[in-house]
Amino acid sequence: MDITERKITKIAREVSKFTVRQLREEVGASEFDVIHAVRKNPGITQAGVCRITGLDKGAVARQAANLEAKGYIVRRDNEDDGRSRRLYATEKADGL
């Protein structure tokens, strides 16, 4: 392995650890992934979050409920499909 690749990998690992430490107070790493997916795709469904993040639908449903309770996302009824709900980020999520 080239020495520069090793240093870049080390930097990426340290940045990841720093991010997890900073977010641990408010949200977990997987919850942050859900927030990021919702912020980039306003009005996305939980199924859409599953496709983007690779998480299973049960995990996304739990995280969406937790994030809604913490005030990071809002769920609104889907006009096109009465069974699903659309997710939107709040100003608190934008502050992250």
Side-chain angles (χ1 to χ4, degrees):
M1 176 184 284
D2 182 24
I3 189 83
T4 57
E5 289 177 15
R6 180 176 165 88
K7 289 181 181 178
I8 291 172
T9 303
K10 172 77 172 158
I11 292 169
R13 191 169 42 248
E14 292 300 320
V15 166
S16 177
K17 288 191 314 191
F18 175 76
T19 304
V20 168
R21 276 194 311 269
Q22 292 299 104
L23 292 176
R24 189 170 294 157
E25 299 168 6
E26 293 283 326
V27 296
S30 58
E31 287 180 332
F32 184 74
D33 292 339
V34 172
I35 292 172
H36 184 68
V38 172
R39 283 187 64 233
K40 295 294 180 184
N41 304 289
I44 192 170
T45 62
Q46 288 181 183
V49 173
C50 291
R51 281 191 300 274
I52 290 172
T53 61
L55 298 170
D56 62 73
K57 65 181 185 175
V60 170
R62 282 189 304 275
Q63 290 171 358
N66 288 339
L67 290 170
E68 185 177 27
K70 293 177 183 178
Y72 288 103
I73 63 171
V74 175
R75 292 193 240 191
R76 296 190 185 126
D77 291 332
N78 186 354
E79 299 83 26
D80 301 332
D81 182 7
R83 298 174 295 162
S84 66
R85 302 180 77 187
R86 296 198 178 270
L87 305 175
Y88 297 92
T90 63
E91 290 180 16
K92 188 175 180 180
D94 292 335
L96 277 177

